[in-house]
């Protein structure tokens, strides 16, 4: 019995256990070598994942749902980052895969997952991915993120759902979900939830709350050594101080900003249009931004 080379070793072990169990209720009378179409129907309808299932079968269902969720999470990132404007202030979690990678993962999920693992609209989403179609509109991305959350249930999936709510314009849900994400035990995910919370607060014109959230995020980024979110939050602090022409506040943050290097200059530069309206006498080139960070007291 052979498996795809990209199959997770833990999943392969569980698959072998289930395949060798003559009393398996998950794949009754079906050898694993024949599982090349998960959308087939000759599997008894089971409404309860725990009804008569062995521990190996329960684990298999759990792992399949997580694998399906991961495919959908990757698809969300590909679709979200397809828009350069959307990608400006967001840093994805982990490695960004290509559409081809997502398609390959979708094939593995389709061919190895039992029908019971495909719920909450997952089959439709996987079918679209197999055709090379990744959602990019706000509504489609929200639906995709919601499906990934229901199937996989990971903190990362919840972050993507919160992100999709903000992009869709549902700020109340975006704020609630980003708060939930910020409370997760994984600092890599929690800090992104905090950065998203700050963005939603700004879009709701809650500037004081947004500044408090941003400063708290910076403190936690420094504590955990998280550089990606740290750079974005430093840039936010610099831009807000420039927009307010707050020399003293800019001086307080300039040391950290300058030390962060080239990435911060690039991020600040993305707000050049807004900054030029407030400080029209400045040149918002890379050199101009560096000059201001080196001499934060001079905002004339």
């Amino acid at each position: 019995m052979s498996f795809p080379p990209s199959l997770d070793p833990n999943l392969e072990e569980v698959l072998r256990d289930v395949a060798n169990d003559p009393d398996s209720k998950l794949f009754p009378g079906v050898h694993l070598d024949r599982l090349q179409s998960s959308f087939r129907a000759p599997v008894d309808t089971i409404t309860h994942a725990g009804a008569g299932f062995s521990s190996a079968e329960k684990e298999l269902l759990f792992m399949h749902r997580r694998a399906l969720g991961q495919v959908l999470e990757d698809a969300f990132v590909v679709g979200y980052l397809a828009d350069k404007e959307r990608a400006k202030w967001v840093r994805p979690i982990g490695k960004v895969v290509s559409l081809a990678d997502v398609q390959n993962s979708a094939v593995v999920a389709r061919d190895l997952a039992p029908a019971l693992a495909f719920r909450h609209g997952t089959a439709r989403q996987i079918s679209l991915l197999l055709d090379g179609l990744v959602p990019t509109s706000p509504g489609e991305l929200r639906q995709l993120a919601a499906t990934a959350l229901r199937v996989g249930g990971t903190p990362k999936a919840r972050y993507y759902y919160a992100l999709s709510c903000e992009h869709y314009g549902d700020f109340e849900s975006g704020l609630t979900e980003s708060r939930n994400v910020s409370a997760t035990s994984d600092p890599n995910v929690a800090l992104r939830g905090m950065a998203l919370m700050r963005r939603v607060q700004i879009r709701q014109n809650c500037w004081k709350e947004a500044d408090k959230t941003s400063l708290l995020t910076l403190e936690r980024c420094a504590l955990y050594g998280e550089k990606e979110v740290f750079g974005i939050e430093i840039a936010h602090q610099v831009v807000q101080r420039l927009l307010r022409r707050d020399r003293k506040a800019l001086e307080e943050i300039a040391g950290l900003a300058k030390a962060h290097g080239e990435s911060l200059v690039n991020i600040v530069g993305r707000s050049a249009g807004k900054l030029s309206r407030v400080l029209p006498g400045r040149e918002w080139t890379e050199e101009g931004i560096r000059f201001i960070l080196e001499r934060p007291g001079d905002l004339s």
Side-chain angles (χ1 to χ4, degrees):
M1 185 182 304
S2 61
F3 294 92
S6 59
L7 191 64
D8 184 286
N10 295 323
L11 178 56
E12 180 177 339
E13 182 179 352
V14 176
L15 282 168
R16 292 187 187 282
D17 288 343
V18 173
N20 294 328
D21 183 358
D23 298 321
S24 172
K25 293 181 175 57
L26 192 59
F27 299 117
V30 181
H31 293 294
L32 209 57
D33 287 335
R34 291 167 52 202
L35 292 182
Q36 296 303 310
S37 176
S38 292
F39 298 110
R40 71 200 183 296
V43 177
D44 292 338
T45 300
I46 303 172
T47 59
H48 198 307
F53 276 54
S54 68
S55 59
E57 287 176 318
K58 291 177 183 177
E59 179 67 12
L60 177 59
L61 273 176
F62 173 79
M63 295 181 72
H64 269 307
R65 286 172 180 158
R66 279 296 176 89
L68 286 168
Q70 181 62 58
V71 174
L72 298 179
E73 289 171 22
D74 289 342
F76 176 86
V77 174
V78 171
Y80 191 91
L81 297 183
D83 187 308
K84 293 183 180 179
E85 188 65 28
R86 282 198 300 250
K88 282 183 178 180
W89 295 88
V90 173
R91 290 296 179 271
I93 301 169
K95 180 183 177 182
V96 179
V97 300
S98 66
L99 176 57
D101 292 330
V102 172
Q103 283 184 285
N104 290 336
S105 298
V107 170
V108 174
R110 177 201 64 192
D111 289 350
L112 292 178
L116 187 60
F118 289 90
R119 290 183 170 181
H120 308 296
T122 310
R124 175 183 175 276
Q125 297 287 358
I126 292 293
S127 295
L128 291 173
L129 297 179
L130 292 171
D131 291 335
L133 302 175
V134 175
T136 56
S137 72
E140 291 174 328
L141 282 170
R142 190 184 191 192
Q143 187 176 29
L144 175 58
T147 303
L149 178 58
R150 292 189 187 108
V151 174
T154 65
K156 184 168 66 170
R158 186 167 296 280
Y159 166 67
Y160 291 146
Y161 178 65
L163 195 63
S164 72
C165 287
E166 182 231 11
H167 182 51
Y168 187 73
D170 182 358
F171 300 140
E172 289 301 324
S173 296
L175 191 60
T176 298
E177 294 298 337
S178 60
R179 282 199 180 107
N180 291 334
V181 173
S182 70
T184 187
S185 59
D186 184 345
N188 191 40
V189 180
L191 292 170
R192 282 165 170 78
M194 294 182 70
L196 177 57
M197 191 190 316
R198 185 262 302 160
R199 282 208 316 279
V200 175
Q201 287 168 334
I202 288 175
R203 298 190 70 173
Q204 292 180 313
N205 291 317
C206 300
W207 293 95
K208 289 184 178 179
E209 290 84 352
D211 278 349
K212 290 178 182 177
T213 300
S214 182
L215 290 172
L216 181 58
T217 305
L218 283 173
E219 290 178 6
R220 293 189 180 179
C221 283
L223 177 64
Y224 293 116
E226 215 295 341
K227 295 181 179 180
E228 294 285 352
V229 177
F230 186 82
I232 289 176
E233 291 307 308
I234 283 287
H236 164 74
Q237 292 291 331
V238 169
V239 170
Q240 294 308 311
R241 284 157 172 72
L242 287 170
L243 291 174
R244 293 195 297 262
R245 294 174 173 264
D246 192 335
R247 292 182 176 84
K248 183 177 180 181
L250 183 59
E251 287 174 353
E252 291 174 354
I253 203 79
L256 284 174
K258 184 180 177 183
H260 199 69
E262 291 298 313
S263 61
L264 180 129
V265 173
N266 294 332
I267 295 172
V268 173
R270 293 168 190 162
S271 297
K274 186 186 296 183
L275 292 170
S276 64
R277 291 194 293 271
V278 178
L279 295 166
R282 289 285 183 180
E283 286 212 28
W284 295 102
T285 60
E286 291 185 9
E287 290 302 320
I289 294 170
R290 288 195 193 92
F291 181 87
I292 287 176
L293 294 179
E294 291 170 358
R295 299 170 180 79
D298 180 13
L299 289 182
S300 56

